[in-house]
Amino acid sequence: MAQQEDIFKKVVSHCKEYGFVFPSSEIYDGLGAVYDYGQNGVELKNNIKQYWWQYMVLLHENIVGLDSAIFMHPTIWKASGHVDAFNDPLIDNRDSKKRYRADVLIEEQIAKYEDKIEKEVAKAKKRFGDSFDEAQYRTTSARVLEEQAKRDNLHKRYQEVMNAEGGINLEGMKQIILDEEIVCPLSGTRNWTDVRQFNLMFKTEMGAAAEGASTIYLRPETAQGIFVNYLNVQKTGRMKVPFGIAQIGKAFRNEIVARQFIFRMREFEQMEMQFFVKPGTELQWFDEWKKRRMAWHQALGFGAENYRFHDHDKLAHYANAATDVEFKLPFGFKEVEGIHSRTDFDLSQHAKFSGKKIEYFDPEDNTSYTPYVIETSIGVDRMFLSIMCHSYCEEKLEDGQTRTVLRLPAALAPVKLAVFPLTKKDGLPEKAREIIDSLKFHFNCKYEEKDQIGKRYRRQDAIGTPFCVTVDNQTLEDNTVTLRYRDTMKQERVNISDLRGIIEDQVTITSLLKNLK
Ligand code: ATP
């Protein structure tokens, strides 16, 4: 665990040192849980967004895009339930003065019991070897059964307080925290305040006060912009159910506990798609979108074992099924994407609050209905963090040195090709520039002439550049260069005219999308 935390720290400082992510307003000592993307970060982020957009919008004939405004009519947030219910239960520890989400403290306690069970099973597996019957062990081992009972009991109580009539039972939550003897990780004490609700939306004023300014909200999700444009898009695009609307954009949440770098930010970016379906078919589509989204994640090649679904125990007020796609980060399996079956809740609410009829006329059976919705919602920044954590690698080389390399999927790498003249003379820089000029229309190239070649390789390894080319005196004679591969460090002599063919094939978003067939 300590080692994993160490990796996380290294990733955070690597992000800063190599121009991926900077704390916002750093010269003013930063702003809590707000970050800026630097010269390499913005390229990686754009590539992630492109990968998502091309998969969702280009590869699905029945999904179209949208770019709705961040500011929206304030009644939208009343209709969606955010004004009344977009709250997190918070609790403070009086000794450390630290604030926590009460639900997260309880969920972590459940995870602790689950961890203990898995450790017991793993130990037994090692002890018994081939003859180990895991299913039998899980149902007969006294230790496992004891932990399982504790976990189930807590889980049941948690569900009861979360789904209590009239909203979350705040006293009940506090009682669980006391009964489970959960301590503050910082102070180690159980000196807790009561649990209170806290609304996560940022408010601002639109218009000058004298004219009667109105309070508006910074959107906490992009989804509502899609719902309120459902009729516009359906009609003007002549869309037939089932169809989807996809959008990428900023969202804002005044998170209570904003830690873990870009995992939980107050300003972040979402990629959301709402898929409108015929009522009664939603659970089928829910399963279908689970499969499709998981395939999209796994096509990045980080290994299927690093992903899992986590089905929700506590369904949001609008959902009849919900799951998270979790990815293994250095601090455990964490949600990167949510997939929700939102029923007709949102469209019906907007119909009610706006007084407009929001329905679909189905020409196939001459009926009108309010479509049901499957939503896929993924955070760009969380995706960015997962990719950085899994790509970051410190390697021991044969000569005893270590190199830090970002093994980014080539299609996501900020720079695809770096071109180095071996020296700054004899026309080598000009030749190197010539190569860049012929390739820069096809993919992102970078010119580097400072320092020895070895150092230049290291700098490119550290930002994940999959290919480097060195131009030397022989190049001037026969138009060949040394092509060096990031992952294997293999070098080979190739013709300049072959470079585009070799590289382009591996660095386009299309090459990733092809894994998805
Ligand atoms: P969490 O339980 O972690 O707060 P959530 O369930 O509230 O997340 P959703 O409302 O389902 O998240 O949002 C969809 C996606 O948006 C999440 O899977 C995540 O990737 C991203 N996201 C949500 N909140 C944040 C945040 N504060 N910072 C960065 N990304 C976020």
Side-chain angles (χ1 to χ4, degrees), residues 409-412 466-467 485 501-509 511-512:
L412 300 185
F467 300 98
Y485 296 84
I502 298 172
I503 298 170
E504 195 172 33
D505 202 35
Q506 297 184 48
V507 300
T508 57
I509 297 292
S511 65
L512 271 183

Side-chain angles (χ1 to χ4, degrees), residues 9 41 92 122 206 228 234 263 280 327 347 357 409 418 421 433 490:
K9 274 194 199 139
D92 294 285
M206 184 177 255
V228 298
Q234 193 272 320
F263 183 79
F327 189 65
L347 291 182
K357 190 168 154 196
R433 295 249 183 234
K490 203 181 93 189

Side-chain angles (χ1 to χ4, degrees), residues 412-476:
L412 300 185
V415 178
K416 312 302 186 192
L417 170 71
V419 183
F420 313 146
L422 186 63
T423 60
K424 286 188 216 167
K425 46 183 208 252
D426 300 336
L428 299 185
E430 290 75 9
K431 189 72 187 171
R433 295 249 183 234
E434 217 177 85
I435 295 174
I436 289 188
D437 283 343
S438 70
L439 294 175
K440 69 184 178 193
F441 296 99
H442 308 291
F443 41 79
N444 200 353
C445 303
K446 195 177 165 77
Y447 175 83
E448 276 246 34
E449 60 174 27
K450 205 170 162 286
D451 298 321
Q452 289 171 337
I453 292 291
K455 269 200 179 159
R456 287 185 244 172
Y457 281 151
R458 290 292 172 274
R459 273 204 298 273
Q460 295 304 319
D461 286 344
I463 64 167
T465 306
F467 300 98
C468 292
V469 146
T470 303
V471 173
D472 54 22
N473 288 314
Q474 192 188 330
T475 311
L476 302 179

Side-chain angles (χ1 to χ4, degrees), residues 86 88 101 220-221 253 255 262-270 272 312 318 324-325 335-338 340 375 377-383:
F86 194 53
D88 274 345
R101 265 173 61 179
E221 61 176 30
R253 296 183 188 179
E255 298 280 359
I262 54 173
F263 183 79
R264 191 173 298 288
M265 303 155 91
R266 296 203 166 100
E267 172 179 341
F268 58 101
E269 207 164 0
Q270 290 186 312
E272 296 198 298
H312 286 205
Y318 49 73
D324 295 335
V325 177
E335 168 183 348
V336 287
E337 172 159 7
H340 309 123
E375 165 184 81
S377 170
I378 167 169
V380 182
D381 313 86
R382 272 194 202 175
M383 197 59 206

Side-chain angles (χ1 to χ4, degrees), residues 279-299:
T281 65
E282 73 274 12
L283 293 179
Q284 237 166 294
W285 277 112
F286 175 73
D287 284 341
E288 180 58 31
W289 276 109
K290 274 175 75 169
K291 273 191 226 134
R292 290 189 196 178
R293 294 302 308 146
M294 188 55 103
W296 181 89
H297 283 279
Q298 294 190 359

Side-chain angles (χ1 to χ4, degrees), residues 68 190 404-405 453 470:
S68 70
R190 284 180 249 150
T404 302
V405 53
I453 292 291
T470 303

